[in-house]
Every structure is written in C-alpha cells, then in structure tokens.
Amino acid sequence: MDLGVYGLGAVGSTLAEHAATRGHRVRCVDVDESVVSRVNEGAYFEADAEGTITAATTGETVVPQSEVVVVAVPTPLDTNYAEDLSAVEA
C-alpha cells in the first residue's frame, strides 16, 4: 500500500516507520526541513525502514500517489478547550 503521512512528530513518525517496516511505501510531509533531510538521508528511522520512506516539505505528490493519507499534526486546545486547527489548515 502507498501511505501518505502529514507530520513527522511522535504520531506521524511512528506510523510511518511501522508501515514501512511492514513493506508499505510511505511518503511523508513535514514543515521542518531538517527532519525531511534526515528522512531522505536514511538517518531518521530504523534500518528496516530505509528505502521505503521519502519526505518533502510540500505535499504536491503525496495525495495523488497515496492510497491512504493520514494527517498527524498538532491540534492543541486553548484555554476555552477549543482546538487550534492552524496546522491542519496550513
């Protein structure tokens, strides 16, 4: 399966690595260029996941090439318990 993952924080990176070690092709998007570089250099995940995970700072090719897309970005609550969806809307 081709999986797209938006956000390589604790949830997104765990999901991406788990899927890749089980043979799935994973395309990731993150706004942090240093994370994207480390993923593409093979220095971010366990060795079993290398070669099946790629990353970019924009998602132009992720959605069309993925069967499933997961959005794993922060949605913190403010003091009134309303969610902050700015990361999703970006």
Side-chain angles (χ1 to χ4, degrees):
M1 171 177 46
D2 288 326
L3 174 67
V5 178
Y6 278 76
L8 285 171
V11 174
S13 61
T14 301
L15 173 66
E17 183 172 29
H18 186 77
T21 59
R22 279 146 186 81
H24 301 289
R25 172 117 177 100
V26 184
R27 292 174 181 84
C28 304
V29 179
D30 199 276
V31 296
D32 187 334
E33 291 181 15
S34 67
V35 169
V36 170
S37 293
R38 290 193 333 252
V39 169
N40 291 329
E41 293 167 2
Y44 195 73
F45 295 106
E46 296 286 327
D48 291 346
E50 286 183 21
T52 59
I53 300 178
T54 58
T57 55
T58 63
E60 297 162 346
T61 60
V62 172
V63 173
Q65 296 179 358
S66 299
E67 297 171 66
V68 175
V69 176
V70 175
V71 178
V73 296
T75 53
L77 300 177
D78 66 16
T79 56
N80 296 319
Y81 300 103
E83 63 276 352
D84 174 1
L85 299 177
S86 60
V88 176
E89 294 165 347

